[in-house]
Amino acid sequence: MTQLSTPTPTVNAVGTSGSDFDVDERGTFRALVEAFVSLFIAVLLFRTFAAEGYMISTGSMAPCLLGFHKRIVCPTCQITFPFGTAYDTDEDPDAESVVANRTRAVCPNCGQHGIDVSEVPRNHGDQLLVNKQAYLYRPPRRWDVIVFRNPAHPTEAYVKRAVGLPGERIQIQGGDVIIDGQIARKNYAQQVATRILVHDHDYRPTDDDEFEPHWKCVDETEDDLERSKTTVWTAGSKSFQLRGGNVRRPDKTPLAWVEYHHWIRSGGLHDTSVPLSQWPEDLNSSLVPDAGLKFDPKNSEFHVTGALSKEVARKLMELTTDQVFYRAVQDLYEASHIVPISDEYGYNPPDEVGTPNPVLDLMLSARVAWQGGAGEFVVEMTNGASVYSVVFDIVRREVSLFVDVLPDGVTIGTRADTRHSESEAVVSAPWPSSFTEAGGLIEVSLIDRQVLIAINGKPVMEPAAIDLPRNVQPPRIPVRFGARGVDIKMSQLKLYRDVYYTESRSRHAVNRPYELGPDEFFVLGDNSPVSHDSRRWDKPTVPRKHLIGKPFLVHLPSKPGNLRIGNQEIHLRIPDWERIRFLR
């Protein structure tokens, strides 16, 4: 459970200062006592009826809200991420007793394994200021973070996200929340509040031979003459730049693309195959390392389970002189390290969670600036069934959405250049006045089966609902951006994913819909793999009478600090200003 504790309030006594009048000692003492009592009563009334502070101890709402955790700086890419030291799955309420077994972390940004966290000091959980009046006159809205009393132990306070509302029939399917047979969709603010970082392009290893960039410039032009006319992106340290503003006919120029490849270092349970017509005659199969490799002569394919290591690939090429086999091994190595995005959390130990689930619901965030030209730039996202092209027209100052159904076996990384100019836009809208040549923040999401487009923190049009056929294979290249006929710079590239609500180890609202009573709420944790919530409780609902309020501020968070006086070092807690924020 995400259990909360109530911090002891600090009360400061207030006395009266001297004046030109004589005041006897008994009057002064009485004034001090009255002031202290009045302040105590004021604080008591404020805590009772207005707001109260709580501290989070466990990690079921991470990364939105943190329990006891460690702040880890990845030694490879230098990004900072939280690593939990207490979870809802802990049977021992004392987190210190389980910290010793959680000494290795995996960077969620670059995938670096085996990061030693044993010597990193532990941080306290987030402290929440809760508005106890929030639900006196209205019930919680869907996706609200709420604080409530544990129905089984009313003296304990928990924090979760309200997902199912009174009278509804709720079910978890494929990571989504289904309400009364329809998917529950989040608006822009709710998507931002729940999104989880997958990759930040600003944090990449600079001295790591094992790392491969996630964003890659590509050239789809096959003809040498056409390739000579194509303008390509230039990759900088933290950005991509295109110089194509001098093109006379942008509409006749191929788009130059930068694709996202979700590259992993090692591991995985995914299957990868490449074409291989026949096994080399000089290669003894018994000498092939046992590393998940398999040759399928019937379909002329060479398979591997998980990411093929460099050591195994090198060993394979040492066993034969067959050049065709060499190329197949190289192709298999590269392809096996690019996998679908999954619901893994850097907050959780990798060995204490079940098999990861592929996630199709993504959001791209980037800062765009253009300096000239009359062309366009495009963001494409796919769920494996269709491609959704968001086209930013420089001349018209207009944003348009185009939909292109993918044929079987075709992905956005293998098909020809997008020809959205030949089709009709599903919806179009003008740019906001805040989006100028100096730059602006664009966000495009494919979350909850809808396409949402925002510029500078505000949606530019109503989200477009989309369908998702069943049994769709997750794409290996889920998003890319391109441009033509424009001088443009793309920076601050971040890719996020939505919460994937897991079904494993769940008892309620999984195999069949669960119907809520007229005063009941169904609550879920953002850290779905380890959260104990309505899916797993004996009594799955939270009655309205158990609601405490709505948290609106993460206040006074702290982090470990050291103070050295002479030869002595004092350990103390200092404010962590970066974590202070209002909650949506």
Side-chain angles (χ1 to χ4, degrees):
M1 319 293 182
T2 302
Q3 188 170 340
L4 305 180
S5 57
T6 307
T8 302
T10 301
V11 181
N12 296 320
V14 179
T16 55
S17 62
S19 67
D20 293 336
F21 297 96
D22 292 329
V23 181
D24 60 35
E25 294 181 0
R26 288 180 297 176
T28 303
F29 177 74
R30 180 176 179 178
L32 286 170
V33 172
E34 288 178 349
F36 181 84
V37 172
S38 297
L39 181 60
F40 177 78
I41 293 174
V43 172
L44 183 63
L45 290 173
F46 182 78
R47 290 187 60 197
T48 303
F49 298 106
E52 188 170 1
Y54 294 86
M55 186 175 72
I56 300 176
S57 59
T58 63
S60 73
M61 283 297 293
C64 176
L65 297 172
L66 306 178
F68 289 108
H69 67 285
K70 296 183 176 185
R71 303 291 287 180
I72 311 301
V73 177
C74 175
T76 306
C77 71
Q78 305 304 311
I79 200 169
T80 300
F81 64 95
F83 179 74
T85 60
Y87 305 91
D88 277 5
T89 51
D90 290 338
E91 296 180 358
D92 191 336
D94 184 6
E96 293 287 358
S97 65
V98 295
V99 170
N101 296 324
R102 292 172 176 154
T103 60
R104 300 288 173 177
V106 176
C107 176
N109 187 62
C110 73
Q112 179 63 57
H113 287 73
I115 301 174
D116 186 2
V117 302
S118 58
E119 300 300 322
V120 179
R122 191 184 69 160
N123 277 20
H124 284 184
D126 286 334
Q127 295 191 63
L128 306 178
L129 199 59
V130 178
N131 179 5
K132 302 176 75 171
Q133 306 290 319
Y135 300 129
L136 289 181
Y137 306 105
R138 72 164 180 87
R141 299 186 178 98
R142 197 181 329 278
W143 312 117
D144 274 2
V145 177
I146 64 173
V147 174
F148 56 93
R149 291 187 298 275
N150 177 8
H153 302 283
T155 59
E156 299 174 350
Y158 287 172
V159 59
K160 302 287 181 184
R161 199 175 292 277
V163 176
L165 306 181
E168 294 180 337
R169 299 173 74 248
I170 181 173
Q171 188 170 7
I172 309 298
Q173 287 183 343
D176 292 322
V177 175
I178 308 298
I179 302 294
D180 296 331
Q182 302 293 324
I183 188 169
R185 293 188 167 100
K186 293 181 282 291
N187 60 30
Y188 169 75
Q190 292 162 346
Q191 289 187 17
V192 171
T194 55
R195 67 188 183 184
I196 299 169
L197 183 66
V198 173
H199 183 70
D200 187 337
H201 184 69
D202 286 356
Y203 292 90
R204 290 173 298 132
T206 57
D207 186 19
D208 183 3
D209 294 337
E210 295 292 325
F211 181 80
E212 290 288 337
H214 290 213
W215 290 100
K216 292 188 176 183
C217 306
V218 297
D219 187 355
E220 293 182 340
T221 308
E222 296 181 358
D223 184 81
D224 290 338
L225 181 61
E226 288 297 322
R227 183 180 292 109
S228 67
K229 302 176 183 178
T230 302
T231 305
V232 296
W233 292 87
T234 301
S237 60
K238 294 185 177 182
S239 64
F240 291 91
Q241 195 153 357
L242 182 74
R243 296 293 184 185
N246 59 349
V247 176
R248 294 184 178 181
R249 292 293 307 273
D251 59 321
K252 301 297 183 181
T253 303
L255 281 158
W257 292 104
V258 178
E259 295 178 345
Y260 180 81
H261 298 241
H262 193 61
W263 181 89
I264 63 172
R265 292 176 180 270
S266 61
L269 300 175
H270 57 286
D271 180 78
T272 307
S273 64
V274 296
L276 181 63
S277 58
Q278 62 182 14
W279 192 255
E281 294 182 358
D282 61 342
L283 178 53
N284 187 341
S285 300
S286 63
L287 300 178
V288 174
D290 184 14
L293 295 162
K294 183 179 68 173
F295 174 61
D296 181 1
K298 181 178 180 180
N299 297 307
S300 300
E301 291 178 340
F302 193 23
H303 292 255
V304 67
T305 300
L308 181 63
S309 70
K310 277 189 175 181
E311 293 75 14
V312 173
R314 189 179 300 111
K315 178 66 175 178
L316 287 171
M317 290 187 287
E318 290 174 352
L319 296 174
T320 179
T321 59
D322 192 314
Q323 296 299 313
V324 174
F325 186 74
Y326 279 9
R327 289 192 293 271
V329 171
Q330 292 171 347
D331 291 344
L332 189 62
Y333 171 81
E334 294 177 2
S336 67
H337 284 262
I338 300 173
V339 300
I341 294 169
S342 69
D343 65 335
E344 294 177 294
Y345 288 77
Y347 194 88
N348 303 334
D351 56 346
E352 295 189 13
V353 186
T355 303
N357 300 282
V359 178
L360 305 178
D361 293 12
L362 305 175
M363 174 185 285
L364 173 68
S365 175
R367 183 159 293 277
V368 179
W370 69 94
Q371 292 80 39
E376 62 188 9
F377 65 96
V378 184
V379 173
E380 281 193 355
M381 303 187 77
T382 180
N383 54 15
S386 298
V387 173
Y388 303 91
S389 303
V390 179
V391 181
F392 297 80
D393 192 305
I394 302 296
V395 175
R396 297 180 180 179
R397 297 295 197 268
E398 187 178 71
V399 184
S400 300
L401 172 64
F402 296 82
V403 179
D404 181 17
V405 178
L406 285 172
D408 291 342
V410 176
T411 69
I412 64 173
T414 59
R415 70 197 188 110
D417 184 20
T418 303
R419 298 299 178 187
H420 49 260
S421 58
E422 301 175 1
S423 58
E424 185 176 347
V426 174
V427 62
S428 298
W431 290 0
S433 58
S434 63
F435 195 37
T436 65
E437 288 85 347
L441 182 70
I442 64 168
E443 292 166 301
V444 180
S445 72
L446 205 62
I447 292 177
D448 298 331
R449 301 181 204 170
Q450 60 181 348
V451 182
L452 190 149
I453 308 163
I455 295 178
N456 291 330
K458 295 183 179 180
V460 298
M461 60 182 71
E462 288 295 318
I466 61 176
D467 294 325
L468 180 64
R470 292 190 175 185
N471 301 322
V472 172
Q473 291 297 317
R476 293 204 175 189
I477 303 174
V479 58
R480 66 178 181 173
F481 61 85
R484 56 185 168 192
V486 62
D487 293 340
I488 190 171
K489 181 179 180 181
M490 302 283 284
S491 60
Q492 298 179 22
L493 282 161
K494 296 180 179 64
L495 189 64
Y496 299 90
R497 69 169 177 87
D498 191 20
V499 176
Y500 185 100
Y501 291 105
T502 53
E503 303 173 19
S504 61
R505 296 188 294 155
S506 300
R507 302 167 57 187
H508 307 288
V510 175
N511 296 323
R512 65 180 66 88
Y514 185 91
E515 186 168 350
L516 296 165
D519 256 344
E520 295 178 335
F521 298 88
F522 198 93
V523 298
L524 296 172
D526 288 359
N527 193 347
S528 188
V530 302
S531 174
H532 275 238
D533 46 41
S534 290
R535 297 167 300 168
R536 302 176 186 175
W537 294 337
D538 291 338
K539 295 181 180 180
T541 60
V542 176
R544 181 166 183 171
K545 64 181 181 181
H546 284 186
L547 297 180
I548 294 175
K550 177 178 174 58
F552 64 93
L553 177 68
V554 178
H555 74 110
L556 298 179
S558 63
K559 60 183 178 181
N562 298 319
L563 177 63
R564 182 174 293 278
I565 302 177
N567 294 327
Q568 291 187 342
E569 187 175 52
I570 302 173
H571 299 282
L572 67 161
R573 307 207 66 78
I574 60 177
D576 188 354
W577 304 111
E578 295 181 353
R579 289 165 57 201
I580 298 176
R581 69 190 191 279
F582 285 98
L583 297 175
R584 300 188 181 188

